[in-house]
Amino acid sequence: MESLRKLTQVIATLLTNGYFLFPQTKNIYQGPLKLLCSPGLNCYSCPASTTYCPIGAIQQILLGVRFSFESGSYFFSSYVVGTIGLIGTLSGRITCGWLCPFGLLQELLYKIPIGKKLEVPYVLRYLKYFMLIAFVFLFPLLLTNDWGMGKPWFCKYVCPAGTLEAGIPMLLLQPDLRATLGFLFYNKLFWMFIFLIWSVVTSRPFCKTTCPLGAFYGAFNKISFIKLELVKANCTECGACAKVCPMGIQFNKDEGSAECIMCMRCMKEACQFGAIQLTYGGSSLSAQQRISKNNTV
């Protein structure tokens, strides 16, 4: 299962960053695929990106709402919110564990052998909800200039994925941009290095503490169509699930946790008693797989 997940992560990264002509064009892709919303965090301005980031798109919508109203243009795009809302309703936070390029990078960095690995203080996990509510929704909408236009606060001041995927590559492709560097770039460069170094000693620190998209998807974990569920009668409370979980969850004590990225390591690698099952619409996929296997035998 883990090999399949890694393969899926790599394929998803290549599909959402599949414009390989950027070394010749020296610019970002602007073709028809750019109308598609990436399920994971994936910077629009990355020269290889073929899709746009849902978090960046939400901010772009909100930062112009007041200007639109004041200019008599009464419209609001529901496509982006509807898309990620549908993804969340269908599969909760599974995107974080299976499709997000920056999640894959953090996992690879965590594999670097270095001393004792650390855990994130639990209180810091609430920071991502502040990022979602304030930096993604409220600040772009409410903190506007004299013309009623806001700013993409999360993308502009925080997002390490944007710096890694777009900021640095564009500077390499277009050297003239280096003359425009200032506080904003160096601030984001600082946060990028913080999260990359942090990822070596801590499993998925950005996902746990800061990612607003993870906060959004996580809100659907308890009600999503596809999810992991606990079979209490089979659980021995051994705690094996917590030892393999990249998000530091003990599944039997926090079923449906907003932190769960549905990597399924707890189900496939840890639990020996069938206490964790993958379900869709209330039906156990794990149970059906066992029945099919027995019938085949």
Side-chain angles (χ1 to χ4, degrees):
M1 179 63 75
E2 187 63 11
S3 297
L4 175 62
R5 187 173 73 91
K6 281 290 183 290
L7 177 61
T8 304
Q9 288 176 301
V10 171
I11 292 174
T13 298
L14 293 176
L15 287 176
T16 54
N17 296 277
Y19 183 63
F20 302 123
L21 296 179
F22 70 87
Q24 285 74 42
T25 64
K26 299 185 183 301
N27 212 330
I28 64 175
Y29 171 75
Q30 296 288 354
L33 292 177
K34 212 70 169 191
L35 297 175
L36 298 178
C37 178
S38 171
L41 200 69
N42 197 58
C43 188
Y44 177 96
S45 298
C46 170
S49 176
T50 54
T51 57
Y52 64 81
C53 176
I55 292 299
I58 290 173
Q59 292 171 93
Q60 288 295 329
I61 293 169
L62 292 175
L63 65 83
V65 166
R66 292 180 65 177
F67 176 80
S68 298
F69 283 174
E70 291 173 4
S71 62
S73 301
Y74 302 102
F75 69 89
F76 180 80
S77 174
S78 59
Y79 170 68
V80 181
V81 177
T83 298
I84 61 176
L86 178 62
I87 293 171
T89 302
L90 288 175
S91 56
R93 205 175 169 183
I94 196 172
T95 294
C96 302
W98 288 74
L99 302 177
C100 182
F102 201 67
L104 171 61
L105 175 60
Q106 291 176 86
E107 290 185 2
L108 294 177
L109 289 173
Y110 188 65
K111 289 182 177 295
I112 296 175
I114 179 173
K116 182 181 179 181
K117 301 292 185 175
L118 305 175
E119 185 51 84
V120 170
Y122 201 86
V123 67
L124 293 181
R125 296 182 184 236
Y126 294 105
L127 179 61
K128 60 181 172 288
Y129 299 103
F130 172 75
M131 287 292 173
L132 175 64
I133 295 170
F135 275 66
V136 175
F137 285 104
L138 295 182
F139 290 174
L141 179 64
L142 301 178
L143 303 181
T144 60
N145 58 23
D146 294 338
W147 294 277
M149 293 292 292
K151 294 183 291 187
W153 282 75
F154 182 77
C155 293
K156 191 171 184 177
Y157 295 105
V158 181
C159 186
T163 307
L164 184 64
E165 295 177 7
I168 294 176
M170 289 306 296
L171 287 175
L172 295 174
L173 292 172
Q174 300 182 15
D176 291 345
L177 292 175
R178 298 171 192 174
T180 66
L181 296 183
F183 168 77
L184 290 178
F185 176 77
Y186 292 114
N187 169 70
K188 287 194 63 180
L189 193 65
F190 168 78
W191 287 114
M192 183 196 76
F193 279 118
I194 287 294
F195 282 110
L196 292 182
I197 295 171
W198 198 1
S199 296
V200 176
V201 298
T202 300
S203 175
R204 283 181 170 254
F206 179 74
C207 304
K208 291 176 180 176
T209 67
T210 311
C211 183
L213 189 58
F216 182 89
Y217 284 144
F220 294 89
N221 270 0
K222 288 184 180 296
I223 62 171
S224 62
F225 184 77
I226 300 173
K227 57 185 175 181
L228 292 175
E229 293 188 0
L230 178 70
V231 182
K232 294 182 179 180
N234 295 349
C235 182
T236 63
E237 299 188 7
C238 63
C241 52
K243 295 178 181 179
V244 300
C245 179
M247 299 298 284
I249 304 166
Q250 184 165 338
F251 192 83
N252 64 299
K253 293 185 177 180
D254 202 2
E255 181 183 1
S257 169
E259 299 297 311
C260 179
I261 59 173
M262 292 184 65
C263 66
M264 303 182 201
R265 291 180 64 185
C266 56
M267 179 181 73
K268 290 296 185 178
E269 297 181 18
C271 186
Q272 303 295 317
F273 307 99
I276 303 173
Q277 295 187 352
L278 179 66
T279 67
Y280 63 100
S283 300
S284 174
L285 180 62
S286 304
Q288 290 192 13
Q289 287 177 333
R290 287 197 298 272
I291 292 173
S292 177
K293 183 177 180 180
N294 291 335
N295 288 339
T296 302
V297 175

